[in-house]
């Protein structure tokens, strides 16, 4: 068996359909990663620009963060896959429960400036 290790594989264990899906998935993840880098650069530019008012910058950065969170959950945590129904439902129910609690805590603490 060890004498066969120096010989190249003639064919992969994956068929052409699996290779095509894997290449498509890699391409989508690279595009999503590049989009997220662009969002991060946009956030840094919004903070660094002196002409943009603060009242616009904070909600804009929060919106960019929300978009980036959705992209990360959807593409990198594989919530878009068909066999991830239960994890998707748990993530969505967690977001539905956590968002009002965070808003309520912010309002109770009186941190709201807007």
């Amino acid at each position: 068996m060890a004498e066969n290790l120096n010989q190249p594989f003639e064919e992969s264990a994956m068929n052409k359909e699996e290779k095509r899906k894997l290449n498509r998935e890699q391409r989508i993840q690279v595009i999503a990663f590049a989009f997220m880098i662009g969002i991060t650069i946009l956030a840094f530019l919004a903070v660094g620009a002196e002409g943009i008012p603060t009242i616009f910058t904070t909600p804009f950065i929060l919106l960019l963060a929300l978009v980036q969170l959705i992209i990360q959950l959807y593409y990198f945590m594989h919530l878009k896959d068909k066999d991830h129904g239960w994890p998707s439902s748990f993530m969505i129910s967690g977001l539905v429960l956590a968002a009002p609690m965070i808003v309520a805590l912010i309002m109770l603490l009186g941190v709201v400036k807007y």
Side-chain angles (χ1 to χ4, degrees):
M1 181 168 184
E3 62 272 1
N4 294 334
L5 292 177
N6 58 358
Q7 296 176 355
F9 291 110
E10 297 204 8
E11 286 204 23
S12 172
M14 294 190 314
N15 60 21
K16 291 188 179 201
E17 181 67 22
E18 291 172 338
K19 286 181 184 178
R20 190 181 61 80
K21 285 182 180 178
L22 184 64
N23 288 337
R24 183 174 181 269
E25 183 72 23
Q26 287 176 343
R27 188 173 357 118
I28 288 173
Q29 287 199 355
V30 167
I31 291 171
F33 182 73
F35 185 68
M36 288 177 22
I37 295 293
I39 288 175
T40 304
I41 290 171
L42 197 59
F44 276 112
L45 290 175
V47 171
E50 294 179 6
I52 298 176
T54 308
I55 196 161
F56 172 76
T57 306
T58 305
F60 181 66
I61 289 176
L62 289 175
L63 178 68
L64 292 178
L66 180 67
V67 169
Q68 197 162 13
L69 173 72
I70 290 170
I71 289 173
Q72 284 187 4
L73 288 176
Y74 193 71
Y75 287 109
F76 296 114
M77 299 298 287
H78 298 281
L79 292 183
K80 63 179 174 41
D81 295 339
K82 290 181 182 177
D83 56 345
H84 287 83
W86 281 107
S88 297
S89 63
F90 285 128
M91 292 291 285
I92 291 170
S93 62
L95 288 174
V96 167
L97 292 176
M101 283 193 281
I102 291 172
V103 171
L105 286 174
I106 289 173
M107 292 176 75
L108 283 174
L109 293 175
V111 181
V112 177
K113 294 181 182 176
Y114 304 105

